[in-house]
Amino acid sequence: MIAIALACSPKILIADEPTTALDVTVQAQILQLLKELQQRYGLAVLLITHDLGMVRKVADRVCVMQHGKLVEQADCATLFAAPQHPYTQRLLNAEPKGAKPPAARDAPVLLQARNITVDFPIPRGWLRRAERFVAVNDVSLTVRRGETVGIVGESGSGKSTLGRALLNLLPAQGERHFDAVDVGQLDTAGWRRLRKRMQVVFQDPYGSLSPRLTVGQIIGEGLRVHEPELSKRQREKRVAQALHEVQLDAALRHRYPHEFSGGQRQRIAIARALILRPEFLLLDEPTSALDRSVQAEVLALLLDLQQQHQLAYVFISHDLAVVRAMADTLLVMRDGQVVEQGSAAQIFAAPQHSYTQELLDAAFWRHDRT
Ligand code: ADP
Ligand code: MG
């Protein structure tokens, strides 16, 4: 695309969200390329993006838009150092910052996974030699009560597959113990009892909620399965409580998902998970589809709920700033393997593996690592 754009030796290049769909390391390469081309050809670039980190890295001047108007215009250093307009200030504040206050190190172990391996059959005729593709290769991890384990890595590195394997949502080799119960040995009834204690929130707040059910029905669904003895009134009360926990008005339960914004839908998905009073939540890119300012609110809510209920999280994200704000310990994945694992604070301060360094350099040029 860049080659096409440059074919007629233009004087100005308009790049509209040029790297939004890319992983951080690829993003960094594309930005580097743009910079080089700009210098070589004396090109003016109009870069359109919602990514403030990128702006900070590449822009000379910045224009901030809100509701179709330019509300602020300044050179880059000035804008980031002293934003004038309230909207700019809000945008800058919404960048995930800082690290999570650490969870208790000696909290009891809730989930223990050993040597988890997941493979998928490869369609015949594609790669003839190997018949199975290993998406997760020999991963072990421990999740304590009240703790967040972050899983980072680029798309296709096996994060979601590992998350699903931890919850027994797909067949995997290896051992999983949840609260000292061997998940592999459970019968259907035992598994159902355990299942209630571990819940999932996925990335896409549009795709993951059924459009034909009201919000109340969606949130209450799990209760029908796991607590069928409840009366209709008891169920309604629990739905109202769950909505309250995610800071939504209980009156909204009669509405349908399409009437809500992305951030609200993600709150609904969280309420649906919380209503069963789980001890463990798998959060798979829970804020990746949201704008930064909405993302900040949902992250704050998740931290809050974790404190209140001593929830254990496995938090999957390709966004390192988000993971740093959320995780106690960290797994860095690449091609199905864990390349680095340990305390999040330590890994962010002094990454050992070259791939982790590459990820951090690509992501944190915007913060303290510059
Ligand atoms: P991530 O969440 O890190 O982006 P995934 O766990 O979704 O990565 O996928 C890891 C790898 O496993 C990818 O190469 C993906 O194509 C492959 N994969 C995931 N699910 C399946 C499946 N059901 N069948 C075949 N391959 C799969
Ligand atoms: Mg994924």
Side-chain angles (χ1 to χ4, degrees), residues 154-161 164 203 284-285 316-317:
E154 309 200 331
S155 52
S157 58
K159 304 182 298 295
S160 297
T161 307
R164 285 162 182 271
Q203 167 175 354
D284 191 349
E285 306 266 8
I316 297 175
S317 181

Side-chain angles (χ1 to χ4, degrees), residues 261-277:
S261 69
Q264 286 174 321
R265 287 186 216 219
Q266 210 52 316
R267 286 173 194 269
I268 293 166
I270 295 168
R272 176 176 61 175
L274 284 179
I275 197 166
L276 294 168
R277 299 173 178 152

Side-chain angles (χ1 to χ4, degrees), residues 92-325:
L92 293 185
N93 279 331
E95 285 275 273
K97 280 194 207 82
K100 176 185 183 289
R105 255 210 196 147
D106 51 356
V109 171
L110 186 61
L111 178 73
Q112 176 95 58
R114 284 199 196 91
N115 312 109
I116 299 295
T117 296
V118 182
D119 54 17
F120 296 111
I122 293 173
R124 218 183 298 215
W126 185 50
L127 260 183
R128 236 163 264 139
R129 217 154 32 90
E131 289 158 335
R132 299 189 73 83
F133 167 77
V134 180
V136 174
N137 194 351
D138 198 22
V139 176
S140 301
L141 63 91
T142 304
V143 189
R144 294 173 184 278
R145 285 188 191 273
E147 180 188 53
T148 301
V149 174
I151 302 179
V152 300
E154 309 200 331
S155 52
S157 58
K159 304 182 298 295
S160 297
T161 307
L162 173 60
R164 285 162 182 271
L166 291 177
L167 263 72
N168 204 18
L169 294 175
L170 47 77
Q173 296 158 43
E175 268 176 57
R176 283 151 301 180
H177 285 86
F178 189 87
D179 202 11
V181 177
D182 186 343
V183 172
Q185 302 295 322
L186 286 172
D187 57 8
T188 315
W191 170 237
R192 184 176 305 154
R193 275 196 301 279
L194 204 63
R195 182 72 187 79
K196 178 176 179 243
R197 301 166 63 188
M198 27 167 107
Q199 295 293 312
V200 197
V201 176
F202 291 110
Q203 167 175 354
D204 177 14
Y206 298 92
S208 65
L209 304 177
S210 167
R212 277 185 293 276
L213 299 179
T214 65
V215 163
Q217 287 167 329
I218 289 171
I219 295 174
E221 215 175 6
L223 286 181
R224 289 177 181 275
V225 178
H226 290 286
E227 299 182 39
E229 69 283 358
L230 293 183
S231 71
K232 189 162 178 256
R233 270 198 63 189
Q234 287 170 315
R235 225 174 20 239
E236 293 224 321
K237 200 168 154 215
R238 288 275 290 276
V239 169
Q241 274 172 2
L243 278 166
H244 181 73
E245 284 215 279
V246 298
Q247 295 151 15
L248 288 177
D249 189 339
L252 297 174
R253 68 186 183 280
H254 304 299
R255 305 237 194 123
Y256 290 86
H258 70 266
E259 299 175 59
F260 293 87
S261 69
Q264 286 174 321
R265 287 186 216 219
Q266 210 52 316
R267 286 173 194 269
I268 293 166
I270 295 168
R272 176 176 61 175
L274 284 179
I275 197 166
L276 294 168
R277 299 173 178 152
E279 293 141 76
F280 176 92
L281 283 189
L282 170 65
L283 302 158
D284 191 349
E285 306 266 8
T287 63
S288 299
L290 307 176
D291 282 336
R292 277 290 190 210
S293 56
V294 179
Q295 179 181 66
E297 290 166 15
V298 174
L299 293 177
L301 173 69
L302 286 170
L303 283 173
D304 211 43
L305 291 168
Q306 178 169 49
Q307 289 264 304
Q308 266 178 57
H309 303 294
Q310 278 302 294
L311 288 166
Y313 291 158
V314 165
F315 193 103
I316 297 175
S317 181
H318 68 279
D319 186 332
L320 288 145
V322 170
V323 170
R324 187 164 68 155

